[in-house]
Amino acid sequence: VSLIALWGWGGAALQLGLLGLLGLGLWRWQTYVWGMPSGLIQRPTWRSLFYGPWSLVTGAMALALLNTLTLLLAGRPWGVTWGFTLWSAKLATLLGWNPTSSEFWSQESILEVLQASVFADVTSVMNFGIVLGAALAAAIAGQLTVRQPPSRRAVLAALIGGLLMGYGAWLAFGCNVGAYFSGIASTSLHGWVWIAFALLGTILGVRLRSLFQLAN
């Protein structure tokens, strides 16, 4: 459901107002509980751009700019989960799975994407770029190191959490990028619904961390 489709630019104004109120409320809560937040507004330097950390405002502006470029170049907002779904389907096909047995994958347009090169898919190429870019940024900052997992319980928790997040992202037609960030950026109501349930899941996940002897 698009707020702009429902109420025109009034829907966009309503969302901007809600975001402003939410930001103001979080700012006041942060200030009350933890004191004045640091690093919110900070003039970027060449060193901070390459080695970090970035201020929250700089990061937000970069995300907004990149999402706008994605919309202009790809014709749709930024997404991540579809790439993983496509890779899994391609792997299953190599193992003998017949995509025509699935109502979703047997659609002509979807089947064409499945049969094409993975480098012809915009989301997949962007995912590759994110991984390589993150590795490059970590290497430049001197943070690209192999770290030993804290414990087997931590590895188990990561595996369970990853599977649940992946399955949930598929059910929600996107993760925190495609469903939440890009959803709200395109004034879609489902972005607000997504974050409401994501916060509930986060509260539950934090409470379950003690089962794996993980500190909060």
Side-chain angles (χ1 to χ4, degrees), residues 130-141:
I130 290 172
V131 174
L132 294 176
L136 178 61
I140 293 176

Side-chain angles (χ1 to χ4, degrees), residues 1-20 183-189 192:
V1 178
S2 171
L3 297 180
I4 288 184
L6 286 176
W7 301 309
W9 289 107
L14 173 63
Q15 175 165 285
L16 287 175
L18 290 175
L19 289 173
I184 289 183
S186 57
T187 70
S188 177
L189 184 60
W192 294 97

Side-chain angles (χ1 to χ4, degrees), residues 2 21 26 45 62 78 98 108 113 125 160 187 206 208:
S2 171
L21 290 175
L26 291 174
T45 63
W78 182 22
N98 182 9
E108 183 177 355
V113 176
V125 174
I160 295 175
T187 70
V206 169
L208 293 177

Side-chain angles (χ1 to χ4, degrees), residues 18-209:
L18 290 175
L19 289 173
L21 290 175
L22 181 61
L24 179 61
L26 291 174
W27 170 275
R28 293 179 66 88
W29 176 79
Q30 164 82 6
T31 304
Y32 175 77
V33 176
W34 302 104
M36 184 65 67
S38 60
L40 180 64
I41 302 176
Q42 182 179 349
R43 177 179 293 181
T45 63
W46 286 110
R47 180 175 179 80
S48 66
L49 288 176
F50 284 99
Y51 296 97
W54 286 21
S55 69
L56 295 178
V57 172
T58 302
M61 292 177 63
L63 284 174
L65 175 62
L66 292 174
N67 199 31
T68 301
L69 291 176
T70 300
L71 181 62
L72 294 175
L73 296 175
R76 53 180 171 75
W78 182 22
V80 173
T81 308
W82 164 251
F84 303 146
T85 305
L86 179 62
W87 303 349
S88 300
K90 283 183 172 293
L91 178 60
T93 302
L94 291 176
L95 296 177
W97 172 66
N98 182 9
T100 58
S101 62
S102 167
E103 181 179 353
F104 175 78
W105 291 104
S106 60
Q107 300 178 67
E108 183 177 355
S109 59
I110 302 297
L111 192 59
E112 290 178 357
V113 176
L114 180 60
Q115 294 173 345
S117 169
V118 69
F119 294 103
D121 178 61
V122 174
T123 303
S124 295
V125 174
M126 289 186 65
N127 287 351
F128 294 146
I130 290 172
V131 174
L132 294 176
L136 178 61
I140 293 176
Q143 299 295 323
L144 188 61
T145 59
V146 178
R147 294 182 174 87
Q148 183 178 357
S151 65
R152 293 182 179 179
R153 287 178 176 267
V155 174
L156 179 61
L159 290 174
I160 295 175
L163 289 173
L164 290 175
M165 289 175 64
Y167 183 66
W170 175 243
L171 292 179
F173 287 96
C175 58
N176 59 318
V177 175
Y180 169 56
F181 177 71
S182 295
I184 289 183
S186 57
T187 70
S188 177
L189 184 60
H190 87 278
W192 294 97
V193 176
W194 189 97
I195 190 59
F197 283 93
L199 290 175
L200 293 176
T202 300
I203 294 173
L204 177 61
V206 169
R207 293 182 179 275
L208 293 177
R209 284 175 62 87

